[in-house]
Structure formats: C-alpha cells, structure tokens
Amino acid sequence: MRASLLLLAAVAVLASGTARAETWADLPDWSGDWVVVRGKADAPPPYRPAWSARQRTSTKPVDPMSTCGLPAGAPRMMGLPGVHEWIVRPGQVWHAVEEGNSVQRVYTDGRPHRQGDDLFATYTGDNVGRWEGQTLVIDTVGLRADTWLDEAGRPHSDQTHMVARLRREGAELVARIEIEDPVAFVRPWTLERRYRKLPAGSFVHDFACKVIRSSGDAKAAN
Amino acid sequence: MDVRRACCVMALSLAASAAAAAVPTAQSLPDWTGVWQNKGPPTDTDLFDGGTSDPPGCAALSQPCRSHPPYRPSWEARYEQNLALARANILPDPLTRCMPRGTPGNMRSPDTIEFVPRPERTWIFIENGSQARRIYTDGRKHRTGADAFDNWTGDSIGHWEGDTLVVETVGVKGEMMIDRSGAVLSSKARITERIRRRDASTMEDVFTIEDPEALTRPWAVTRLYRKVDGPIFDYACAENPRNTIDASGRTLTLDAQGRVIDAR
C-alpha cells in the first residue's frame, strides 16, 4: 500500500514536469578535451525563398568573430575549431570552447526558460537542459538574430528554437541538432556535430584574439 | 582486530602517502555553485560597484585597500609612473582593447564569476572578457619544454586540502597589468592561491605572489567574492565603444585632448 502511494507520488512529480535532481552517479564522464570531427558538409538549411536570396547576399558579410570581441553564439559554437569541453555537474553543464573563450551554460536544475522581459536575446541564448539517461537534451531559445548559424555564415531570425541531443557514441561525443526557425525556414533543419577526444594530458590554450588579428595590439599589450 | 577498521586505516594511510596528488572524488568537492562578484579591495571594482568596498569606504587607489606591492626600486619607479596615469584616469588598460587580463589580474575583474570544480579540473569562468581559467587537479605537473610557453592565464596546477583548492600558477606573461592602478609582474612570478568558500555568501582567494625579479618579498593579497543573483551573461567586448586605430592597425588610447598616450 505504502509503496504504491510512493509510486503514485513519483508519477505525479514526473507528470507535473518537475525534473528529478540528478546526482554525480547519474552523470556520464565527458571529461577531457574534444575537437570537432570534420565530416560531410551539412545539408543546406530549408530556407524560405526570401532567405535563400539573403543567404547569397549575406546581411552580415564580415565574420562577426573577426572583430575579436563578439561571441560565436549558438549553434555556431558547436562547430568551432579548437578544443571543446563539456563540463558536467549536477544542475548545470558548461560547454566551453577555446576559440573566443565561448561558454554556453545549460541549466539542468529543472528551471523553465526565462520569460517576458527576462528573455532578451543573447549570443548563446537561454539553454535549459535535461538528462534522458546518458543523453543531454538542450533546449535553446532567446538567440540573437545577428549571429551566424555556422562557419559558412548562414543567417537566421530571432525566432530560432534549437534542440540538441548530445551523447557518447563509442569514442565520440555526438550532437544531433534540430533547428526550427518559422521565419527563415520552411521546416526544421537538422545537423550533426561529432567530437573526438584528445590524448590524456592535453590542455586548453588561452585565446587572445587580438594577438592573432593585429600584431599592433600584441605589441601594445607588452 | 576489526577487519573493516584495518581496511580503513590502510585506506587512510594510502591517502596520506598520495598526499596532494590524489584526484578528488566528485562527492568530495565543495559546493561553490552560483554566481559571484568581486567584493574588493576596490582599486578596480569601485568603478563599477562602489557600495561593496572592503574595507567599507575605501576609495580608488587609496591605501591600504590592498597593501602596496613590495617592488624592487626600478619596478617601484615604473609603478609610480603608472599610478600617476591611473590617478589622472588616462592609464592605457589593455582590458579596454578586449585583451585578456591574465592571472592574477583576472580575479579582480568586474562583472560576475563562476567557480566550477570537477575532480580532474576546476574552471573559473569570468564574465568580463570573457576569460576562462583552468586549474588542473588530475595530478599532472607544470608543463615543460616546448609546452611551457608564457601565456595570459599561465599554467595552473591545483590540489585539494579539504575544502580549499590550492593553486600554483607559473608561466604567466610578464608586464601584464594586474589591476587598474597599473601594477605589473614579471614572467618569473609564481602565484599561490588558496581558494575556499568562507561562508554561505562569500568566496575567498588568498594570494601569495612571489616574483624574484619584481618583488623583494612575497606579496599577500586577499580577494573576496559575494554571492549574487545570476545569471552570468555572454560578454561581447566589441560592443564597447571602440578606440581609434592607426594606419598600422594598432589601437590607440587618447587623453581628453585627443593626444595619443600609449607607450610607443
């Protein structure tokens, strides 16, 4: 009797959408330094006609990252060169990328997306995550419209909604990403990013973009 | 003799012999969750948050907000030059050109900061910049040979002493401005930090900075961080107002009359 009551209570909690707080024991080991495995090119996004033209002319022809002070943002940061780290802790996951010191924060503590005035658009968006077994599901809204979707410079609107499913497959970490954009796309765009782990003992370098882009600044810094 | 007890005694002695190199378990890590903000001393932070100086009422560049660096004479002379520029509010600060602050100056950045411990590494994410520090606690040693080049954040190796993370940093770039008063260190600096959560709403970082080139003795600095409501945000440095750039691409710092005041 008591057990069934507990079961009922558990079902009620699940049904109400309250995520169970995960513990360390529930979490996969994604430690280490990961780099993107270059595979076949992404299928072209299913742009609406007006956006196809926009992609060719590109509203932002200069790479925002070349300014050395604008983040790549999501989802572009999933495919950046350099080292990626997936820092898994109960309640929150950090996706840190060497290139541009990009950090995407995914909250897995059961909080909902920010609402109203709090949901202003940012580069990495508002990322709410949940664990389905050993798969991390990241739901992203609140993205700025002036970032690139990928290294090719594809544009998107401010209505972008992204769901990424990230899990270990053998030696690789694999992210399957579905991007909805009712303004720019006729249907969701799916893409995949795969990461391989660097040998143990590797480390992440500093990223000082201004030194790469402008030797004058490097001199001025010293 | 109780077998279980013997086993535990052995485990304890093993732990003691492994000493500092032992990689901690996830469950043994302290709770540093949340978002934190520099509390002072405020030679840098009072520009952004004057209400939280520590000690209270401490004004920019006044002493003893933090003790004066125990510089050797030639370094002291240079520091006095920078201090004069800082007091006139025309010290060219690389941070304003979107350059990294580097260690240890990054620990006095404005905006917010996260301390993220995992068994193999602890990350310190600094909103301003953005900047990231990585402290390796997996038992590795400082880098050697071709890997041991100087950089902004340096080479940080840590170990846990209870709930305190002890960090040793070497390999920092020389001449980095470590705060807005214009203090600098040499690339020979060795920075030891003891980082812990002092109470529910305070993180503490006790620095001992040794620098055989610049300092006559170890310099002790304590920094405090208060817990704030999040979230921590992206940082887009290029959205800040930009400085003039000359024909060679070098970014210039100008005084109130529009004269170039950079060093070269």
Side-chain angles (χ1 to χ4, degrees), chain A residues 24-25 28-33 67-71 85-90 92 94 96-98 100-103 105 107 111 114 120 122-125 144 200-208 210-211 214 216-222, chain B residues 26-27 29-33 94 97-100 114 116-121 123 125-127 130-132 134 136 138 140 143 147 149 151-154 173-176 231-239 242 248-251 262 264:
Chain A
W24 282 105
D29 177 11
W30 292 353
S31 62
D33 301 308
T67 63
C68 283
L70 294 179
E85 291 167 301
W86 296 92
I87 304 160
V88 174
R89 282 183 51 96
Q92 189 172 346
W94 290 256
V97 191
E98 184 177 270
N101 280 333
S102 305
V103 183
R105 296 174 172 87
Y107 299 98
R111 73 180 69 181
R114 298 198 301 263
F120 48 86
T122 62
Y123 292 88
T124 53
R144 288 170 64 113
S202 64
F203 59 93
V204 184
H205 289 83
D206 273 344
F207 189 80
K210 290 299 274 288
V211 177
S214 157
D217 265 305
K219 276 186 218 141
N222 285 298
Chain B
Q27 286 77 8
L29 298 171
D31 178 9
W32 290 354
T33 53
R97 296 196 307 267
C98 302
M99 292 291 292
E114 285 172 310
V116 184
R118 271 191 50 92
E120 75 282 5
R121 291 179 192 176
W123 291 258
F125 289 120
I126 299 153
E127 181 179 327
S130 67
Q131 306 173 77
R134 292 170 173 88
Y136 297 89
D138 54 1
R140 71 179 69 185
R143 299 195 292 261
D147 283 341
F149 48 85
N151 61 39
W152 280 268
T153 51
K173 287 171 76 77
E175 308 294 321
M176 290 191 303
I232 183 169
F233 286 110
D234 299 328
Y235 196 84
C237 186
E239 289 180 359
R242 306 315 302 274
S248 71
R250 180 185 173 206
T251 308
D262 298 281
R264 279 184 292 268

Side-chain angles (χ1 to χ4, degrees), chain A residues 35-59:
Chain A
V35 292
V36 173
V37 179
R38 299 289 164 195
K40 60 181 192 313
D42 300 323
Y47 279 122
R48 293 180 184 281
W51 283 77
S52 299
R54 200 173 160 190
Q55 186 191 351
R56 280 195 297 276
T57 56
S58 190
T59 49

Side-chain angles (χ1 to χ4, degrees), chain A residues 17 34 38 54 79 83 95 98 132 151 165 194 209 212 221:
Chain A
W34 303 82
R38 299 289 164 195
R54 200 173 160 190
V83 174
H95 173 208
E98 184 177 270
E132 293 180 358
E151 297 293 284
R165 301 180 64 86
R194 308 182 81 89
C209 180
I212 300 168

Side-chain angles (χ1 to χ4, degrees), chain B residues 96-97 240-245 251-254 262:
Chain B
T96 62
R97 296 196 307 267
N240 292 341
R242 306 315 302 274
N243 287 15
T244 311
I245 296 172
T251 308
L252 304 175
T253 313
L254 310 179
D262 298 281

Side-chain angles (χ1 to χ4, degrees), chain A residues 2 6 8 26 41 51 71 75 100 105 155 169:
Chain A
R2 192 168 163 206
L6 277 174
L8 276 175
D26 300 324
W51 283 77
R105 296 174 172 87
E169 291 184 8

